[in-house]
Amino acid sequence: MPEPRELTFAQAIREALAEEMRRDSHVCILGEDVAEAGTPFKVLSGLLEEFGTDRVLDTPISEAGFTGLAVGAAMTGLRPVVDIMFGDFITLTMDQMVNQAAKVHYMSGGKWNVPMVMRTTLGATRRSAAQHSQSLHAWFSHVPGLKVVLPSTPYDAKGLLKTAIRDQNPVVFFEDKMMYKLKGPVPEEEYTIPFGVADIKRAGRDITIVATSSMLQVALGAATLLQKEEISAEVIDPRTTWPLDEKALIESAQKTSRVIVVDEGYGRYGVTAEIASVIAEGAFYELDAPVKRMGAMHVPIPFSPPLEDTTVPTENSVFEVARELCGRS
Amino acid sequence: MPEPRELTFAQAIREALAEEMRRDSHVCILGEDVAEAGTPFKVLSGLLEEFGTDRVLDTPISEAGFTGLAVGAAMTGLRPVVDIMFGDFITLTMDQMVNQAAKVHYMSGGKWNVPMVMRTTLGATRRSAAQHSQSLHAWFSHVPGLKVVLPSTPYDAKGLLKTAIRDQNPVVFFEDKMMYKLKGPVPEEEYTIPFGVADIKRAGRDITIVATSSMLQVALGAATLLQKEEISAEVIDPRTTWPLDEKALIESAQKTSRVIVVDEGYGRYGVTAEIASVIAEGAFYELDAPVKRMGAMHVPIPFSPPLEDTTVPTENSVFEVARELCGRS
Amino acid sequence: MTTAAQRPEADSKVTVERWIRAYRRMVSIRLFEEQVNDLYTRALMPGLAHLYIGEEAVAVGICETLRPDDYITSTHRGHGHCLAKGASPDRMFAELLGKEAGYCRGKGGSMHIADPATGNLGANAIVAGSVGIATGAAFSAKQLRDGRVAVCFFGEGALGQGVLYEVMNLAQLWKLPVIYACENNLYNEYTHYSETTAGEITARGTAFGLHTEAVDGQDVRAVYATATRLVERARRGEGPAFLLCNTYRYHGHHVGDINRDYYRSKEEERRWKDERDPIKLLTDWLLGQKLVDQALLDRILSEARSEIEAAVKFAIDAPYPRPEEVQEDVYA
Amino acid sequence: MTTAAQRPEADSKVTVERWIRAYRRMVSIRLFEEQVNDLYTRALMPGLAHLYIGEEAVAVGICETLRPDDYITSTHRGHGHCLAKGASPDRMFAELLGKEAGYCRGKGGSMHIADPATGNLGANAIVAGSVGIATGAAFSAKQLRDGRVAVCFFGEGALGQGVLYEVMNLAQLWKLPVIYACENNLYNEYTHYSETTAGEITARGTAFGLHTEAVDGQDVRAVYATATRLVERARRGEGPAFLLCNTYRYHGHHVGDINRDYYRSKEEERRWKDERDPIKLLTDWLLGQKLVDQALLDRILSEARSEIEAAVKFAIDAPYPRPEEVQEDVYA
Ligand SMILES: Cc1ncc(C[n+]2csc(CCOP(=O)(O)OP(=O)(O)O)c2C)c(N)n1
Ligand SMILES: Cc1ncc(C[n+]2csc(CCOP(=O)(O)OP(=O)(O)O)c2C)c(N)n1
Ligand SMILES: [Mg+2]
Ligand SMILES: [Mg+2]
């Protein structure tokens, strides 16, 4: 049989957008430098040429303004996909997303819908310093009315983005900016991936590593290191923080009895806290050790490389924590 | 000996501000309708008369603008206290607080400080609907560089606000808008309360109820109901979510072996998740049951009273969960 | 400022029926709001409400020129806008009382009335919270070429919110059919707008290239005449406009704001009520021009009164939502 | 637009020494930025940087009129502002390389240079991120009556951010000593400003009541003359001002933006470099007026070059921060 086709993470995103824009003329893209430039990360290159300036629109540097515009556009027949260049800039859109987009359907008693998608980025180690390196997805995960997606592979990125665009609700889609060049198999055939379904990226027996987005590769790397020590690690990716596939996470924990949760957001009051709590409660009687949480160090991300590199979990740090959790030393 | 003096929560806040403004001429107040009106909740009544329009300033309806102005003012010699009328409006200040205030000290290598305080509110059941009822303190607790304070009594409110104003860092101070009329003892003498020190509001043996802000009274009420069933509940209030007094929380959990965490923020990805995780890890070997979390229902707060009343934990719901946790049924 | 007097041609275009309809609408809004105040004082309404009394000519004058499928967005002081766009009082009252029969099944309350059937995208409790939504609706109208126009109502306090300038810039760049209707009733809550607003309000629109006009917001005929020109212009694809409507609220910022002496004088309130009342001005003109007789106006008034009273009764008797509904409508 | 020619009185006030100093500053900034580009291409600098080359006259013309204790806030394209306000190249380079000797001990990098000693409140990587900070510094200056002025540098792309209008309104209401210096270099990243900016840029200032002027940003004497008037005015307590400086960046949006044909022509770039270069314009004037001879300018150039080269060497040789430092400076 033929080699499965490989695409980069960026190509997978672009293909999902292009397919959905062909399928549904109401899908349009709004953001800064999304048209001619195709974004600074070149993720959208070519879409302007295919779909034209009516459907791929460069905006002023007005994150609140064009996000708010997208909310209204979504309520009135369009399916806008807004591009927030760096996840750090969602700070400017919180009122539009949280007080407006997330609540319109509920406040109107179910009368108005907001089928919009916000695409943005997360992740550090790009030497971009404190205002261009945050992973703030925990905030949106906290808000009823929003759905939050964290793809970790090209395959997931494409399938989840198509689902996001077809969803009737506001969806926030976080892309790891360091992952755009990562390659992975993506079939030619049409497919979508449902929200709220975790994926076991690597099956194992001795310990569960729950990993999101940028941390999946780190977890898989750690799992390989653990293998050398005869520790069989299961790596599971919830893929969406809301809806959250609690059942799959708890079952994996019940099976292995040891759990590490790794996410690139800040460790405190972040995504790892919710997932760890769900598991600690759901697998209370099966856990042999406390659930360990690993996230970004509780500091603004520094610019200096030797400092920045200490702020995020790595294959080795996850490996070490896992070894210890499994009683090796 | 004489009756201890009683003040309402609002009076305690006002007294803390007045004392600090007398002590330090650099303290000033900025916000909407804070001067003549003394805020819609009348918390600041009288301050304009004592300190004048140079130090109590009415602003336009520009939360981002005057919060940003306060960041710069704090860097250059003042100690501004900004008033954000409803906690729901912090959505408009996230960039100023998170990308600017929280990071200035770190990004400048420790050169600039931002000694400012943001006072705002939290809490539902005021029939104010989805955009005036949120408790979003989890967001700020997630951000390194900020400190977050959640007073639950007039005594704590005064002592913690004075500490906040004297702090060299940006501090966010959340007040339960339903608590302003609550009375409690507040001594005449000067005092402050350090951050990061939890307070045991009621000592107990059988179960620990960790409660913040608006949920303290609920927890104390539940503890009274539990007493009738010979269940001795310990009620502990962390008072600041950052810094967090992990030691005190863990010790209480180790002592009682059963824990409920109650906070009025949304239950998902909220403050209860972090506190529950800290306890589940720190008291892993002492806990006899999973840590239970209780927060606001995962819905935008509805207007209709019979609906709204079901969205927040109550004395009875906490009581029921506690009973079950203690194996009564 | 534009006044009806200056533009007879506008009047010639409009028929007597229109002014009678406008009269009925303004009267209904006022009676509706008086009932809201009454429900509050009788402790029958949960929470608070912001009354539109005194500003009726703005909502009515503008909505009179809109198509049923045109869009509006409203504010915390939104009852007048919703009624002017065609909402029915009974379901509005039901919403204000948190009842199942309300426009939002009780979930929204006074500040969140929304109704697709009348193009009402929703009132909003965030100051300037709906400026993005209105602009987005105009964006859809342009993309879908359905000829609709969106009107964004907001108080002058919303001039303090930067997002308004962000969306006006977008609207002008993309020539979107949206009218930004600024209701200057002189106060942001308890603070006079002159303490919160630097420069000329109309310059806030022209600075972003918007066609900008100011109108006497107490003169429903002037509001209608100006709004008609701006709406037709937008419908023709000539772009957005900024319309400053100078008006005044008679009551407190909300129903609980009773003692107002510390921020405005009784004399000021009296002057507006006696000399600038929109219903009185229209009445005097209709009678002065002999277009209607007092009897007709009296009949309209009593019809409106019975409609409003029936609506209140409907709402009071209506059932609350079932508790389970609290979990519905979070996601579509 | 104001040009130096129009205001001889400004020139008469200023001494030859000032223009020689301005020449030295502009040359240093250009040489500094050329080294930054070089460090990037040689892969010696982590991350990216946004070069100020072509815009030197704006920062130098404005900072020349400021007191050492006056405040500035800067942007992602901030090297020129920091140097013009007095930062030393060696510690700047050290910061760009993430070294301990850098202004921020390596924690900030290119986009976050800050230095209390020169009144630099910090460069900012959020577009319009420092407009609140600059306005707040002016608020402190007014409250503390210390006679300081704050200059807020920002690119025309920041006109898209609503918070700018919120703080300009506050500054005008409270008569704060702050100058909003808008550097219009024609592009927001890869998009021409005309696609993102409706109306006249100067109207964005006047709409909020600010005293507003526009100046040729390539003519350091014109910038200085105009800035001096606005700064003195602000210092006298007469309020804020908006200063539009028309300029151009020669290089890409950042050092990695090499192929620019898809958003602007080589011809356009050539015209600005050949005809509107700020250093060349000042040189021609100085020589034309016989105020200096070529030898002096050559000496200044070579002095500047050796200073910059020494600074680069200092930074390359400087040590990185200790890993433990990552946890320091989170809280004061
Ligand atoms: C973002 C935000 N800030 C503050 C408030 C509180 N608030 C409600 S109404 C109001 C005044 C609004 O004044 P204006 O826009 O003139 O409307 P008016 O009440 O005069 O009709 C304020 C400050 C709010 N609802 N939203
Ligand atoms: C809030 C925000 N949105 C987007 C960006 C990404 N970004 C960085 S620079 C830039 C363009 C800025 O253009 P301008 O303000 O004209 O400054 P210039 O680069 O031309 O000096 C953009 C969009 C950002 N840093 N901050
Ligand atoms: Mg008003
Ligand atoms: Mg530019």
Side-chain angles (χ1 to χ4, degrees):
Chain A
M1 66 172 238
E3 276 288 299
R5 180 181 69 147
E6 292 232 323
L7 291 184
T8 64
F9 195 88
Q11 289 167 330
I13 297 282
R14 187 183 314 136
E15 192 167 87
L17 285 162
E19 287 179 11
E20 292 305 300
M21 289 176 84
R22 284 177 208 129
R23 193 185 57 79
D24 181 348
S25 66
H26 298 99
V27 178
C28 57
I29 296 173
L30 296 162
E32 293 151 22
D33 298 295
V34 294
E36 285 78 6
T39 81
F41 302 109
K42 302 296 170 199
V43 176
L44 306 182
S45 305
L47 295 180
L48 173 70
E49 292 65 17
E50 178 173 356
F51 300 101
T53 51
D54 278 6
R55 296 181 62 193
V56 184
L57 294 92
D58 275 333
T59 64
I61 307 169
S62 307
E63 284 79 5
F66 68 77
T67 298
L69 183 150
V71 176
M75 292 169 71
T76 52
L78 299 180
R79 289 185 172 272
V81 178
V82 302
D83 184 300
I84 301 295
M85 203 180 288
F86 285 81
D88 310 72
F89 312 154
I90 63 170
T91 50
L92 295 156
T93 69
M94 297 309 280
D95 190 67
Q96 300 303 322
M97 292 303 288
V98 174
N99 283 331
Q100 309 303 336
K103 296 175 171 49
V104 162
H105 187 66
Y106 193 84
M107 293 193 303
S108 67
K111 296 249 197 69
W112 291 108
N113 297 341
V114 185
M116 71 180 278
V117 176
M118 172 181 281
R119 286 181 48 251
T120 189
T121 58
L122 59 69
T125 70
R126 192 168 160 274
R127 316 314 183 203
S128 305
Q131 294 174 335
H132 282 63
S133 305
Q134 296 168 92
S135 303
L136 298 171
H137 45 292
W139 286 351
F140 284 138
S141 307
H142 185 50
V143 179
L146 300 179
K147 297 182 180 181
V148 181
V149 186
L150 297 171
S152 62
T153 67
Y155 178 87
D156 288 354
K158 183 180 175 185
L160 291 165
L161 183 52
K162 287 168 70 83
T163 301
I165 293 169
R166 298 179 191 188
D167 198 281
Q168 288 299 78
N169 303 283
V171 177
V172 187
F173 193 90
F174 284 90
E175 302 163 13
D176 170 20
K177 60 178 92 77
M178 300 302 283
M179 210 191 277
Y180 283 126
K181 297 193 169 63
L182 176 86
K183 277 187 171 252
V186 178
E188 308 271 357
E189 313 70 55
E190 161 95 22
Y191 70 95
T192 60
I193 299 173
F195 290 168
V197 180
D199 187 41
I200 295 178
K201 300 294 187 182
R202 182 187 200 281
R205 290 178 318 279
D206 307 328
I207 183 168
T208 295
I209 306 177
V210 180
T212 63
S213 184
S214 54
M215 293 296 104
L216 176 68
Q217 294 304 320
V218 168
L220 290 172
T224 309
L225 298 175
L226 290 163
Q227 198 58 65
K228 301 202 184 71
E229 311 229 341
E230 265 81 52
I231 297 174
S232 159
E234 175 149 298
V235 177
I236 182 166
D237 175 0
R239 298 199 289 199
T240 52
T241 51
W242 195 261
L244 181 66
D245 188 351
E246 303 191 350
K247 187 163 165 299
L249 297 171
I250 291 167
E251 282 169 4
S252 177
Q254 288 170 327
K255 181 177 72 176
T256 63
S257 79
R258 293 182 177 76
V259 181
I260 300 176
V261 184
V262 200
D263 174 85
E264 198 174 340
Y266 291 121
R268 296 310 183 141
Y269 297 92
V271 160
T272 61
E274 179 66 25
I275 294 177
S277 300
V278 164
I279 291 172
E281 180 170 351
F284 184 78
Y285 299 100
E286 292 82 1
L287 286 173
D288 292 340
V291 177
K292 288 284 173 192
R293 299 184 288 146
M294 299 180 73
M297 188 184 286
H298 206 60
V299 306
I301 308 298
F303 166 72
S304 187
L307 299 188
E308 184 179 28
D309 290 339
T310 67
T311 64
V312 286
T314 61
E315 279 183 18
N316 276 314
S317 61
V318 174
F319 167 71
E320 289 303 335
V321 171
R323 275 183 84 253
E324 222 190 287
L325 211 53
C326 296
R328 312 290 177 89
S329 51
Chain B
M1 70 174 232
E3 276 288 298
R5 179 182 68 148
E6 292 233 321
L7 291 184
T8 65
F9 195 88
Q11 289 167 329
I13 297 282
R14 186 182 314 136
E15 190 168 271
L17 285 163
E19 286 179 11
E20 292 306 298
M21 289 177 83
R22 284 177 207 128
R23 191 184 59 77
D24 181 350
S25 66
H26 298 97
V27 179
C28 57
I29 296 174
L30 296 162
E32 293 152 21
D33 298 296
V34 294
E36 285 79 5
T39 81
F41 303 108
K42 301 298 169 198
V43 176
L44 306 183
S45 306
L47 295 180
L48 172 70
E49 292 65 16
E50 177 173 357
F51 300 102
T53 51
D54 279 6
R55 296 181 63 191
V56 185
L57 295 93
D58 275 333
T59 64
I61 307 170
S62 307
E63 283 79 5
F66 68 77
T67 298
L69 183 150
V71 176
M75 291 170 71
T76 52
L78 299 180
R79 289 184 171 273
V81 178
V82 302
D83 185 298
I84 302 294
M85 203 180 288
F86 285 81
D88 310 70
F89 312 154
I90 64 170
T91 51
L92 295 157
T93 70
M94 296 309 280
D95 191 67
Q96 299 305 322
M97 291 304 287
V98 174
N99 282 331
Q100 309 304 336
K103 295 175 173 48
V104 162
H105 186 65
Y106 193 84
M107 293 193 302
S108 67
K111 296 247 196 71
W112 290 110
N113 297 341
V114 185
M116 70 181 279
V117 177
M118 172 181 281
R119 285 182 47 250
T120 189
T121 59
L122 59 70
T125 69
R126 194 168 159 276
R127 315 315 181 203
S128 306
Q131 295 174 335
H132 281 64
S133 305
Q134 296 168 92
S135 303
L136 297 171
H137 45 292
W139 286 351
F140 284 140
S141 306
H142 185 49
V143 178
L146 300 179
K147 297 182 181 181
V148 181
V149 186
L150 296 170
S152 61
T153 67
Y155 178 88
D156 288 355
K158 182 180 177 185
L160 290 166
L161 183 51
K162 287 167 70 85
T163 300
I165 293 169
R166 298 178 192 189
D167 199 281
Q168 287 299 82
N169 303 283
V171 177
V172 187
F173 192 90
F174 284 90
E175 302 163 14
D176 170 21
K177 58 177 95 76
M178 300 302 284
M179 209 190 278
Y180 283 128
K181 295 191 171 64
L182 176 88
K183 276 187 173 254
V186 177
E188 308 271 358
E189 315 71 55
E190 160 95 23
Y191 70 95
T192 61
I193 298 173
F195 290 168
V197 180
D199 187 40
I200 296 178
K201 300 295 188 182
R202 182 187 199 283
R205 289 179 319 279
D206 307 328
I207 184 168
T208 295
I209 304 176
V210 181
T212 63
S213 185
S214 53
M215 292 295 105
L216 176 68
Q217 294 305 319
V218 168
L220 290 172
T224 309
L225 297 176
L226 289 164
Q227 196 60 65
K228 301 201 183 72
E229 311 231 341
E230 264 79 54
I231 296 173
S232 157
E234 175 148 299
V235 177
I236 181 168
D237 175 0
R239 299 198 289 199
T240 52
T241 51
W242 196 261
L244 181 65
D245 189 350
E246 303 190 352
K247 187 164 166 298
L249 298 172
I250 291 168
E251 282 171 1
S252 176
Q254 288 170 328
K255 181 177 70 177
T256 63
S257 79
R258 291 181 179 78
V259 181
I260 300 177
V261 184
V262 200
D263 174 85
E264 197 173 342
Y266 291 121
R268 295 306 181 148
Y269 298 91
V271 159
T272 60
E274 178 66 25
I275 294 176
S277 299
V278 164
I279 291 171
E281 179 171 352
F284 184 78
Y285 299 100
E286 292 83 1
L287 286 175
D288 292 339
V291 178
K292 288 285 174 191
R293 299 184 289 146
M294 300 180 72
M297 188 184 285
H298 206 60
V299 306
I301 307 299
F303 166 71
S304 187
L307 299 187
E308 184 179 27
D309 290 339
T310 67
T311 64
V312 287
T314 61
E315 278 183 19
N316 276 314
S317 61
V318 173
F319 167 71
E320 288 304 336
V321 171
R323 275 181 86 256
E324 223 191 282
L325 211 55
C326 296
R328 312 289 179 85
S329 53
Chain C
M1 288 202 333
T2 315
T3 67
Q6 291 168 247
R7 356 178 104 355
E9 87 287 346
D11 297 336
S12 63
K13 272 207 244 76
V14 301
T15 70
V16 176
E17 282 61 39
R18 163 166 301 120
W19 300 132
I20 293 175
R21 203 162 50 239
Y23 174 81
R24 180 178 287 111
R25 274 266 157 85
M26 292 199 288
V27 165
S28 304
I29 292 172
R30 182 157 303 186
L31 294 173
F32 181 95
E33 297 290 55
E34 284 169 355
Q35 285 293 333
V36 173
N37 201 33
D38 192 54
L39 287 165
Y40 169 77
T41 43
R42 286 160 60 205
L44 288 173
M45 179 181 71
L48 298 166
H50 308 78
L51 306 183
Y52 197 66
I53 293 179
E55 310 187 27
E56 297 90 345
V58 176
V60 171
I62 291 174
C63 291
E64 185 60 34
T65 198
L66 296 179
R67 295 187 339 204
D69 66 345
D70 283 331
Y71 297 111
I72 65 162
T73 63
S74 174
T75 70
H76 58 284
R77 196 176 305 287
H79 306 163
H81 308 130
C82 301
L83 290 165
K85 193 64 172 59
S88 64
D90 51 3
R91 299 187 54 202
M92 294 254 310
F93 279 123
E95 189 59 38
L96 268 58
L97 300 190
K99 302 299 184 74
E100 173 68 28
Y103 274 106
C104 310
R105 302 173 59 201
K107 285 183 165 130
S110 165
M111 297 196 288
H112 300 291
I113 309 267
D115 177 29
T118 54
N120 179 354
L121 292 161
N124 210 301
I126 299 295
V127 167
S130 69
V131 299
I133 292 171
T135 309
F139 180 74
S140 289
K142 188 188 179 200
Q143 296 285 88
L144 303 172
R145 299 190 179 66
D146 58 17
R148 297 186 188 187
V149 169
V151 173
C152 179
F153 289 100
F154 56 89
E156 86 292 341
L159 295 169
Q161 291 289 341
V163 68
L164 171 65
Y165 306 102
E166 297 188 12
V167 298
M168 288 201 297
N169 184 50
L170 282 159
Q172 179 63 21
L173 286 168
W174 296 346
K175 291 260 177 285
L176 305 181
V178 53
I179 312 298
Y180 298 96
C182 178
E183 301 177 309
N184 181 10
N185 62 7
L186 305 187
Y187 296 90
N188 312 173
E189 278 193 354
Y190 319 105
T191 303
H192 194 271
Y193 87 100
S194 59
E195 292 171 43
T196 63
T197 318
E200 285 302 315
I201 290 181
T202 50
R204 304 283 179 103
T206 49
F208 295 82
L210 273 71
H211 176 87
T212 299
E213 298 196 31
V215 66
D216 175 356
Q218 306 307 89
D219 178 346
V220 71
R221 293 177 303 125
V223 173
Y224 173 81
T226 311
T228 300
R229 271 185 291 104
L230 301 186
V231 167
E232 283 170 357
R233 199 178 154 277
R235 232 188 268 290
R236 285 196 303 268
E238 291 168 31
F242 184 97
L243 177 58
L244 171 60
C245 305
N246 294 293
T247 183
Y248 194 77
R249 67 164 154 82
Y250 290 0
H251 286 245
H253 169 60
H254 56 63
V255 288
D257 172 26
I258 309 300
N259 302 327
R260 302 183 284 273
D261 313 17
Y262 71 91
Y263 71 89
R264 70 187 199 185
S265 70
K266 291 215 170 34
E267 167 56 18
E268 175 183 286
E269 294 186 1
R270 194 198 53 68
R271 263 204 330 281
W272 280 87
K273 291 177 188 172
D274 294 357
E275 301 161 23
R276 310 288 315 134
D277 184 69
I279 296 176
K280 196 164 169 307
L281 290 174
L282 178 62
T283 305
D284 294 351
W285 180 79
L286 282 168
L287 295 173
Q289 303 282 314
K290 308 241 181 312
L291 297 170
V292 302
D293 59 12
Q294 186 63 50
L296 173 66
L297 300 183
D298 294 346
R299 205 180 69 246
I300 293 173
L301 180 63
S302 64
E303 280 167 8
R305 178 166 285 116
S306 15
E307 185 198 25
I308 294 295
E309 278 160 4
V312 172
K313 183 165 186 326
F314 167 85
I316 291 174
D317 299 343
Y320 282 110
R322 291 166 291 103
E324 315 83 76
E325 290 183 35
V326 70
Q327 304 259 25
E328 299 170 7
D329 306 324
V330 180
Y331 293 95
Chain D
M1 291 201 331
T2 315
T3 68
Q6 289 168 250
R7 8 174 86 15
E9 85 287 347
D11 297 337
S12 64
K13 270 207 245 76
V14 300
T15 71
V16 177
E17 282 63 37
R18 163 166 301 118
W19 300 132
I20 293 175
R21 203 162 51 239
Y23 174 81
R24 178 178 288 111
R25 274 265 157 86
M26 292 199 288
V27 166
S28 305
I29 291 171
R30 182 156 304 185
L31 294 173
F32 181 95
E33 296 291 55
E34 285 169 355
Q35 285 293 331
V36 172
N37 202 32
D38 192 55
L39 288 165
Y40 169 77
T41 44
R42 286 159 61 205
L44 288 173
M45 179 181 70
L48 298 167
H50 308 79
L51 306 183
Y52 198 65
I53 293 178
E55 310 187 27
E56 296 90 346
V58 177
V60 171
I62 291 174
C63 291
E64 184 61 34
T65 198
L66 296 180
R67 296 189 335 205
D69 66 345
D70 282 331
Y71 298 111
I72 65 163
T73 62
S74 175
T75 70
H76 57 283
R77 196 175 305 287
H79 305 162
H81 309 130
C82 300
L83 290 165
K85 194 63 168 62
S88 64
D90 51 2
R91 299 187 54 201
M92 294 255 309
F93 279 122
E95 189 59 38
L96 267 60
L97 300 190
K99 303 301 184 73
E100 173 70 29
Y103 274 107
C104 310
R105 301 173 60 199
K107 285 183 165 132
S110 165
M111 296 196 289
H112 300 290
I113 309 265
D115 175 30
T118 55
N120 179 354
L121 292 160
N124 210 301
I126 299 295
V127 167
S130 69
V131 300
I133 292 171
T135 309
F139 179 75
S140 288
K142 187 186 179 198
Q143 296 285 87
L144 303 173
R145 300 194 177 67
D146 58 18
R148 296 186 188 186
V149 169
V151 173
C152 179
F153 289 101
F154 57 89
E156 86 292 340
L159 295 169
Q161 292 288 341
V163 67
L164 172 64
Y165 306 101
E166 297 187 12
V167 297
M168 287 200 299
N169 185 49
L170 282 159
Q172 179 63 19
L173 285 168
W174 297 344
K175 290 260 175 287
L176 304 181
V178 53
I179 312 298
Y180 299 96
C182 178
E183 301 177 311
N184 181 10
N185 62 6
L186 305 187
Y187 296 90
N188 312 171
E189 278 193 354
Y190 319 105
T191 304
H192 194 272
Y193 86 100
S194 59
E195 294 172 41
T196 63
T197 318
E200 285 302 313
I201 290 181
T202 50
R204 305 282 180 102
T206 49
F208 294 83
L210 273 71
H211 176 88
T212 299
E213 298 197 30
V215 66
D216 175 357
Q218 306 307 89
D219 178 345
V220 70
R221 294 176 304 125
V223 173
Y224 173 82
T226 311
T228 301
R229 270 185 293 103
L230 302 187
V231 167
E232 282 170 359
R233 198 178 154 278
R235 232 187 269 291
R236 285 195 304 269
E238 291 167 32
F242 184 97
L243 177 58
L244 170 60
C245 305
N246 294 294
T247 183
Y248 194 77
R249 68 164 152 82
Y250 290 0
H251 287 246
H253 170 60
H254 56 62
V255 287
D257 172 25
I258 308 299
N259 303 326
R260 301 184 284 274
D261 313 16
Y262 72 91
Y263 71 89
R264 71 187 200 185
S265 71
K266 291 214 170 37
E267 167 56 18
E268 175 183 285
E269 294 187 358
R270 193 198 54 69
R271 262 205 331 282
W272 280 88
K273 291 177 188 171
D274 294 356
E275 301 161 23
R276 311 289 314 137
D277 184 69
I279 296 175
K280 194 165 169 309
L281 290 174
L282 180 60
T283 305
D284 295 349
W285 181 79
L286 282 168
L287 295 173
Q289 302 282 314
K290 307 242 180 317
L291 298 171
V292 302
D293 58 14
Q294 187 61 50
L296 173 64
L297 300 183
D298 294 345
R299 207 181 65 244
I300 293 172
L301 180 62
S302 65
E303 280 167 7
R305 180 166 285 117
S306 17
E307 185 199 25
I308 294 295
E309 279 160 5
V312 172
K313 182 165 186 329
F314 166 84
I316 290 174
D317 299 344
Y320 282 110
R322 292 166 290 103
E324 314 83 75
E325 291 183 33
V326 69
Q327 304 260 24
E328 299 171 7
D329 305 324
V330 180
Y331 292 96

